[in-house]
Amino acid sequence: MRIIRNTTPFGDGFRMPAEYEPHEGCIMIFPERADSWQYGGYAARKAFVQVAEAIGESERVTVCAGAAQYDNARAMLPAHIRVVEMSGNDAWARDYAPTFVKNDTGVIRGIDWGFNAWGGLYDGLYFPWDKDNQMARKLCDLLEKDVYDRRDFILEGGSIHVDGEGTCMVTESCLLSRGRNPELSKQEIEEILRNYLNVSVILWLPWGIYNDETNGHVDNICAFTAPGEVVLAWTEDKEDTQYAMSKACLDYLEQAVDARGRRLRIHKLPLPKPVTVTKEECGGLDACGDQPARVPGERLAASYVNYYIANKSVVMPGFGDPADREAREILQKLFPDRKIVQIYTRDILIGGGNIHCITQQIPL
Ligand code: KQY
């Protein structure tokens, strides 16, 4: 593996493909952290295995497991899923596995962004995060990809979406948060995104999902389903704090123009009714530092937008809510050539994210 420090993907003719372009595979990390996952991850592991199996039907899945969980991961996952022992601090592959870029001859390289647990000592979610921060480089070594070193710039994979045709979508609440790159202006952040993702237009949605502890990752509120088309997490309940947040995003998107000069087709994807964590669930979580990891009644950032587009399927969350079916039907219409697989993911949601947050595609 070569560590590239003096050039950029843009300068070298590499771009980040959209998630709906073909994949070589997918990276996941086995959960075990006891202040993220109830009872040390017992239930979350079962949900992660279902996600890995669903994705594994149409692409090669690599699951990284810590030493303590290696045997269990190997036993729980089918033989065609690769399991490698790799230390980490938690299980959010989207956020600290590499972002992959590709050139016209099909060469793939990784980008190693800096990771500080969603806000470092300012408003980050745990400490330390050093092993997470090493993962991108370890994975590029394992997968035999050269890697761009951009560890000086804090960015999580869940905070960016691209359409593969020159447009990137982010949220202001996340990328301009004080815990990430406070020394950089919005223009300077745009410049880095342009040079590393090879995009020409950055769409800045104002907000993510209410109470999303990532400062509002874009991958929970809005996603491209095709060039020029997005789904937006939506509620009709004007009393819900989320309404104003989704409406502000809608207003922004309605006037936006993408890199090809298109107005966007915006599909509203309903949200489930507010999902809150129970006293029993909180009882299964270790404290995070000297604070409870979650408190009973706390609202979780549940959203159907947090799906993964695999080669032949879309693997989406379910919450046991009446909106599960409507959301599934909307995605099926938007992805007519892919099977929609809905997995009940409450045990992933309790950790603070969902299917998109625990997966990272490797383009083909
Ligand atoms: O990408 C994500 N949604 C990660 C959330 C991290 C939560 C840590 N408890």
Side-chain angles (χ1 to χ4, degrees):
M1 176 194 65
R2 201 161 49 104
I3 299 172
I4 305 166
R5 295 202 168 90
N6 48 356
T7 60
T8 63
F10 170 72
D12 296 342
F14 284 72
R15 66 172 182 104
M16 181 183 176
E19 197 170 315
Y20 38 72
E21 294 182 50
H23 299 175
E24 172 190 315
C26 175
I27 298 164
M28 295 179 65
I29 306 166
F30 219 50
E32 60 176 296
R33 191 183 167 101
D35 59 2
S36 282
W37 315 100
Q38 290 184 82
Y39 301 105
Y42 183 79
R45 285 191 282 277
K46 292 187 177 178
F48 272 57
V49 167
Q50 284 184 62
V51 172
E53 285 177 342
I55 297 170
E57 283 182 20
S58 63
E59 54 194 70
R60 179 154 202 208
V61 179
T62 299
V63 177
C64 304
Q69 277 295 322
Y70 174 80
D71 280 342
N72 190 39
R74 190 56 287 170
M76 287 180 75
L77 290 157
H80 64 275
I81 291 181
R82 169 165 59 187
V83 180
V84 291
E85 187 191 322
M86 195 177 287
S87 53
N89 302 103
D90 203 355
W92 305 100
R94 174 63 51 185
D95 290 342
Y96 40 82
T99 296
F100 291 101
V101 289
K102 177 180 168 177
N103 73 2
D104 287 344
T105 61
V107 178
I108 308 290
R109 291 178 178 168
I111 304 172
D112 180 9
W113 311 106
F115 177 74
N116 70 356
W118 309 276
L121 299 181
Y122 178 71
D123 63 351
L125 300 176
Y126 53 68
F127 177 88
W129 52 79
D130 55 327
K131 292 191 172 61
D132 293 337
N133 201 20
Q134 290 174 335
M135 272 205 167
R137 209 160 288 187
K138 290 180 183 175
L139 283 158
C140 284
D141 230 337
L142 175 77
L143 300 166
E144 301 179 315
K145 315 288 187 206
D146 290 340
V147 61
Y148 288 99
D149 174 20
R150 202 61 228 231
R151 277 193 186 167
D152 62 318
F153 178 66
I154 301 297
L155 187 98
E156 304 99 41
S159 70
I160 51 171
H161 260 314
V162 295
D163 69 352
E165 296 191 351
T167 314
C168 175
M169 197 161 53
V170 300
T171 62
E172 292 189 340
S173 60
C174 179
L175 266 76
L176 303 183
S177 64
R178 282 195 53 200
R180 289 181 172 81
N181 303 287
E183 72 289 358
L184 297 181
S185 67
K186 190 172 178 178
Q187 290 68 29
E188 288 167 327
I189 291 172
E190 284 210 352
E191 194 59 20
I192 294 172
L193 296 177
R194 282 202 196 94
N195 279 321
Y196 280 79
L197 305 177
N198 198 345
V199 293
S200 56
V201 168
I202 323 282
L203 302 179
W204 290 86
L205 276 63
W207 304 109
I209 291 289
Y210 173 67
N211 224 23
D212 184 329
E213 57 200 7
T214 63
N215 305 97
H217 273 182
V218 73
D219 70 347
N220 218 14
I221 180 98
C222 193
F224 290 105
T225 57
E229 287 195 46
V230 298
V231 281
L232 174 67
W234 188 255
T235 176
E236 294 292 348
D237 181 1
K238 294 198 168 76
E239 303 301 311
D240 186 339
T241 315
Q242 182 62 46
Y243 180 84
M245 297 168 82
S246 289
K247 178 71 167 63
C249 291
L250 179 66
D251 292 347
Y252 176 83
L253 289 165
E254 280 179 339
Q255 54 77 48
V257 176
D258 72 11
R260 297 279 175 105
R262 291 175 290 233
R263 293 273 181 193
L264 298 168
R265 288 188 64 195
I266 306 158
H267 307 276
K268 292 176 179 168
L269 199 57
L271 283 155
K273 282 197 260 327
V275 178
T276 55
V277 68
T278 67
K279 190 171 167 216
E280 291 68 32
E281 288 165 338
C282 292
L285 289 166
D286 277 2
C288 184
D290 60 357
Q291 298 294 316
R294 303 225 175 271
V295 290
E298 180 180 331
R299 182 156 166 188
L300 299 167
S303 165
Y304 299 106
V305 171
N306 210 299
Y307 56 76
Y308 177 80
I309 309 172
N311 281 336
K312 292 193 177 160
S313 61
V314 175
V315 186
M316 68 174 294
F319 304 103
D321 185 277
D324 282 8
R325 182 176 172 170
E326 189 188 347
R328 192 169 66 232
E329 289 173 354
I330 290 170
L331 287 185
Q332 185 65 81
K333 283 204 183 94
L334 295 172
F335 294 99
D337 302 328
R338 287 176 162 97
K339 179 168 91 171
I340 307 296
V341 182
Q342 192 166 41
I343 295 174
Y344 181 70
T345 53
R346 187 174 177 100
D347 289 307
I348 302 176
L349 180 65
I350 290 170
N354 222 306
I355 293 171
H356 197 255
C357 308
I358 62 165
T359 50
Q360 177 65 261
Q361 71 278 1
I362 309 164
L364 187 64

